[in-house]
Amino acid sequence: MLETFPQREGSADLLRMEGVRKRFGATLALDGVDLSVRPGEVLALVGENGAGKSTLMKVLSGAHSPDEGRMWLGGAPYRPAHPLDARRSGVSMIYQELSLAMHLSVMENIVLGMEPVAGPFVKWAEVRRCAVAAMAQLGREDIRPETRVSRLSIAERQLVEIARAIAVGARVLVLDEPTSSLARDDIAHLFSLVRRLKEQGLGIIYISHFLEEVRALSDRFTVLRDGRSVGSGATADVSDEEIVKMMVGRSVEELYPRSARAAGEVVLEINGVAGRTKPEHASLTLRRGEVLGIAGLIGAGRTELLRTIFGLDPVRSGQIRVKAHSGPASPAQHWARGMGMVSEDRKSEGLALALSIADNITLSSLGRFVRPASQSSASRKWIERLAIRCREPEQPVGNLSGGNQQKVAIARLLEHGVDVLLLDEPTRGIDVGSKALIYRLIDTLAVEGKAVLIVSSYLPELLGVCDRIAVMRKGRLQPARPVGEIDEHQIMMEATATREAA
Ligand SMILES: Nc1ncnc2c1ncn2[C@@H]1O[C@H](COP(=O)(O)OP(=O)(O)OP(=O)(O)O)[C@@H](O)[C@H]1O
Ligand SMILES: [Mg+2]
């Protein structure tokens, strides 16, 4: 049911959104946004945390209904009542938190909610054919239609979501920060897939905080700021600095500030530590005034290393010393001794989504008798220092945009005044302007004599903020080296080497 374009002359838009507004209580999330996508085009949708990107895409995919505004799809008015309605019309969204049914097979997921039926019976032969065709279109015939989704890797699950969109004849595909949990090779595969879909004439909207990705993939861009579209055009016509300036409203000069830091006493020392399965072997020392980075591939055991150090996972062998304390300790004991952690998975650990920003930031540090006044001033301080975009400190964390939730998790650690910080992918999902704030903060902490251990998959950031970097490879931590002595290429070689380097 593809219509031709009875739309205004000269316009070949596949999708058009005009004057879209959406309010959540006192928050005006979208304040009259315009956006258009042509067939065979990748549109990058960029903007600061809380600018309204996800909300706009939820309006497009039928998850939110707009308060005002109009949309056209293929030249015809478009107003989806719910996500399934949008999918039927050819608009599919791949959310960052994937939405597959884990206990069902690949093919069941692909047709879920839209199963071909004959009377009361599902036509399984047709379901299978449809799944095989969709996976073939993505070039992944090797993923069998009968496989349970729970057995697939994250990258493969994402492919199944895309296959599900293709199978119902998607014309517009939205990808919301799709690379944040993907390994390097999987990112390369995703990019070639996006290019392939674009050649098939789909309109693709791609949300990302990585300007490298915007540059590599998109034909055009649209910038949102404070719920408004403040700029759009051909990606080739603008510089990264210009895009950042549109996003932030000012230029970000120094992304990675680096003051003179003096390394002091050793506050964390681990020796030949092995965890439950990973790490297999890790040794490191961390001094006051130092920022130590841990690089490595996804799955190498970096998160497990931090969890083991912090007492979330058991130590199988080896020693961990935090300041004067050796031997096993619980996370609560570590907090009390001044070591804290921001975990990679902020949803399941770390944040209480139903509680307010103020509660999340202050509860662990103020004890049981919280005085509302001090709680409020403490949280206001962090809201300002980290530019947490919110209405008020009393707002539930669950209502914040993804990147702003991450900032609350960091604020909590800082408010608690720990002097040994374990940070697992601290800037995942965080916009460029806020990344600069966080890097500055890490630098300040180091100058103040705090010690920072940071795991990140984003190498420019590690090279920018760390004094030394150690690579984790298949559960084994390699010796740390000063940042001046290594580059991105060498880190990748070390992370992927199959044998010990000669
Ligand atoms: N369900 C909701 N209830 C209340 N406020 C909401 C809700 N969803 C979003 N908001 C608010 O709307 C604004 C836009 O949020 P949105 O998630 O669209 O931002 P975003 O651009 O996707 O940010 P990020 O880059 O951090 O993902 C934010 O101020 C957010 O707090
Ligand atoms: Mg978002």
Side-chain angles (χ1 to χ4, degrees):
M1 43 170 276
L2 266 163
E3 306 95 311
T4 41
F5 287 95
Q7 221 176 313
R8 80 195 73 184
E9 264 188 323
S11 162
D13 292 337
L14 171 59
L15 169 78
R16 239 191 133 71
M17 304 176 84
E18 268 180 24
V20 176
R21 293 175 142 259
K22 177 72 188 175
R23 178 180 282 287
F24 298 105
T27 308
L28 185 57
L30 299 174
D31 188 11
V33 177
D34 302 331
L35 173 149
S36 67
V37 190
R38 291 162 209 162
E41 174 180 84
V42 178
L43 176 79
L45 182 59
V46 296
E48 290 184 290
N49 298 129
K53 304 176 296 293
S54 296
T55 305
L56 183 67
M57 292 301 106
K58 285 178 184 166
V59 167
L60 175 63
S61 63
H64 288 322
S65 65
D67 302 330
E68 274 175 52
R70 298 199 295 169
M71 300 190 274
W72 294 265
L73 182 64
Y78 164 74
R79 185 159 190 146
H82 46 76
L84 197 56
D85 195 18
R87 277 179 67 201
R88 288 197 185 107
S89 318
V91 176
S92 284
M93 174 150 173
I94 313 298
Y95 290 94
Q96 200 179 332
E97 286 82 22
L98 300 179
S99 61
L100 298 174
M102 286 299 143
H103 59 290
L104 296 181
S105 67
V106 167
M107 64 180 186
E108 285 167 307
N109 268 287
I110 286 177
V111 298
L112 197 65
M114 304 177 81
E115 295 86 350
V117 289
F121 303 107
V122 174
K123 297 195 268 183
W124 286 111
E126 194 176 324
V127 168
R128 195 168 188 288
R129 238 187 341 266
C130 164
V132 168
M135 292 317 293
Q137 198 177 343
L138 304 185
R140 287 300 300 268
E141 296 87 340
D142 58 304
I143 300 179
R144 314 254 328 134
E146 291 82 10
T147 312
R148 296 244 158 277
V149 164
S150 57
R151 305 182 71 104
L152 300 177
S153 72
I154 292 188
E156 289 168 336
R157 286 177 199 167
Q158 193 179 52
L159 273 171
V160 173
E161 289 240 7
I162 297 174
R164 179 177 172 188
I166 304 293
V168 298
R171 292 187 280 164
V172 175
L173 185 65
V174 180
L175 298 157
D176 193 350
E177 298 187 46
T179 58
S180 57
S181 313
L182 295 188
R184 213 174 166 95
D185 288 350
D186 293 325
I187 293 177
H189 288 143
L190 179 71
F191 279 19
S192 58
L193 176 58
V194 167
R195 295 195 181 104
R196 190 161 163 165
L197 295 174
K198 162 186 147 140
E199 272 157 31
Q200 294 169 7
L202 270 77
I204 293 163
I205 302 179
Y206 190 91
I207 300 182
S208 175
H209 287 298
F210 294 101
L211 291 179
E212 299 92 326
E213 297 186 352
V214 168
R215 199 74 37 230
L217 272 185
S218 71
D219 303 289
R220 287 194 314 122
F221 67 93
T222 289
V223 180
L224 290 192
R225 186 163 87 225
D226 297 336
R228 283 192 209 108
S229 25
V230 294
S232 56
T235 310
D237 293 347
V238 288
S239 66
D240 287 358
E241 292 72 42
E242 285 167 314
I243 295 186
V244 170
K245 201 166 175 187
M246 282 184 240
M247 281 169 52
V248 190
R250 62 184 159 81
S251 39
V252 175
E253 304 90 22
E254 224 190 345
L255 192 53
Y256 303 111
R258 190 182 280 269
S259 316
R261 305 170 187 165
E265 56 169 322
V266 173
V267 282
L268 175 67
E269 181 168 19
I270 79 168
N271 246 315
V273 163
R276 192 183 281 137
T277 55
K278 281 175 193 159
E280 280 175 28
H281 187 275
S283 300
L284 62 83
T285 54
L286 178 63
R287 296 173 176 276
R288 287 193 182 280
E290 224 190 7
V291 183
L292 173 61
I294 299 187
L297 302 180
I298 286 181
R302 297 169 301 166
T303 291
E304 290 84 347
L305 172 64
L306 290 201
R307 291 178 57 89
T308 308
I309 295 175
F310 196 54
L312 286 163
D313 288 347
V315 180
R316 192 152 46 87
S317 58
Q319 295 90 40
I320 297 176
R321 178 169 72 82
V322 182
K323 298 179 200 166
H325 309 276
S326 300
S330 66
Q333 284 167 317
H334 283 310
W335 273 107
R337 293 169 186 173
M339 181 164 83
M341 172 164 160
V342 170
S343 78
E344 168 185 46
D345 184 358
R346 61 174 176 257
K347 290 243 164 79
S348 64
E349 300 150 8
L351 290 182
L353 295 185
L355 295 186
S356 70
I357 299 169
D359 283 345
N360 271 283
I361 293 179
T362 60
L363 274 193
S364 61
S365 67
L366 293 177
R368 273 192 299 153
F369 302 103
V370 180
R371 284 178 295 126
S374 64
Q375 192 193 20
S376 166
S377 72
S379 45
R380 279 181 203 284
K381 175 182 77 192
W382 291 115
I383 288 169
E384 195 176 315
R385 273 188 84 177
L386 292 181
I388 298 172
R389 198 195 144 102
C390 62
R391 216 171 49 242
E392 51 183 17
E394 287 69 39
Q395 198 179 342
V397 166
N399 281 350
L400 298 182
S401 77
N404 283 301
Q405 292 184 9
Q406 180 71 1
K407 293 191 215 170
V408 173
I410 295 173
R412 175 167 175 263
L413 194 69
L414 297 172
E415 170 61 18
H416 195 67
V418 298
D419 47 14
V420 182
L421 294 90
L422 310 178
L423 308 176
D424 196 357
E425 304 281 3
T427 64
R428 173 177 290 172
I430 287 192
D431 68 58
V432 192
S434 305
K435 272 185 185 140
L437 286 176
I438 290 174
Y439 300 148
R440 176 149 309 142
L441 200 69
I442 290 177
D443 182 57
T444 310
L445 292 169
V447 170
E448 286 169 358
K450 305 205 160 148
V452 184
L453 183 59
I454 167 171
V455 164
S456 171
S457 297
Y458 186 45
L459 292 181
E461 145 178 304
L462 282 187
L463 289 163
V465 300
C466 296
D467 300 297
R468 291 182 300 139
I469 296 178
V471 173
M472 180 76 111
R473 177 170 75 231
K474 294 193 176 147
R476 306 185 77 84
L477 190 66
Q478 312 301 312
R481 286 194 275 164
V483 282
E485 294 173 16
I486 36 170
D487 60 21
E488 239 178 272
H489 178 71
Q490 287 166 315
I491 295 176
M492 279 322 291
M493 294 296 286
E494 199 169 325
T496 53
T498 44
R499 284 179 284 156
E500 294 300 311

